[in-house]
Amino acid sequence: MDGILVINKPTGMTSHDVVNILRKKLKQKKIGHTGTLDPDASGVLIILLGKACKALQFLQDTDKVYKSSIQLGYNTDTDDIYGNKISEKEINLDFDFEKVLSSFTGKQRQKVPMTSAKKINGKKLMEYQREGITDLDVYTDVEIYSIKRISTEDLSFIVHCSSGCYVRSICRDFGLKTDNLSCMKSLERIQVGRFTIDMAQNLEDVSLDSIQLYPLEMVLSHIEKIEYQPVKDIYNGKSIRIETKANQICLYDNNQPIAIYQRKSDDIFSCVRGLF
């Protein structure tokens, strides 16, 4: 079975848990996800099956859209309500919610939550935290394309951001901008690249008879498509000569992607990944 499956991950389950359940349900050995979603978050989780697993390194449109809400009054060691409280503070409501949200837009250096899989010197930040090391200030470059209010009453919002952006950090930093302590109250991922929550299946509804697979071409459409003959050269991984301005091409056989080739010199391209 080859293709892309979009799952609406429930809360209380890790991304790895979802993969394990689907592996058994679908009797599929080659299966993986394109990026973890926190256990306490819900929403879009992209699953690759069969040949699609080989295309993971070529995923390009990995921007994400989330719905989230902010909890005022305290902060935690995980920057969400599921962590241990660090400090509490009287809530200050003297701010313009929409105006503060808009101040987050653009490119920025975002401080990474300690409870995260971000690696420093080969070790995850959460592993340092478990050892009692909590004073590491680690930053990552992100971009927030848009962030808009959903409701002022429960401080909920929707954010479109680059891959690697931590919504927990937005919720934590909201407190810093409004003379509050704060953390993230809820999180739902509603889009990853072109894959939306409307395209997702609930985990319990997936079976061999009911699976909704999307074609591999959906994650390769940004790479120039070329039908090439003799196709046996591609299956043998030979370098080929192609006249094109593109530096990377996807070669097809009977309208099916079979390999990714990279420019080596002039019009000579070499295979970087077979998809068969």
Side-chain angles (χ1 to χ4, degrees), residues 159-177:
V159 58
H160 176 201
C161 56
S162 63
S163 180
C165 181
Y166 291 90
V167 181
R168 282 180 289 153
S169 293
I170 295 174
C171 295
R172 176 202 64 214
D173 293 345
F174 184 91
L176 298 177
K177 289 174 179 272

Side-chain angles (χ1 to χ4, degrees), residues 175-186:
L176 298 177
K177 289 174 179 272
T178 60
D179 191 27
N180 280 290
L181 292 178
S182 60
C183 58
M184 187 178 74
K185 184 163 60 176
S186 64

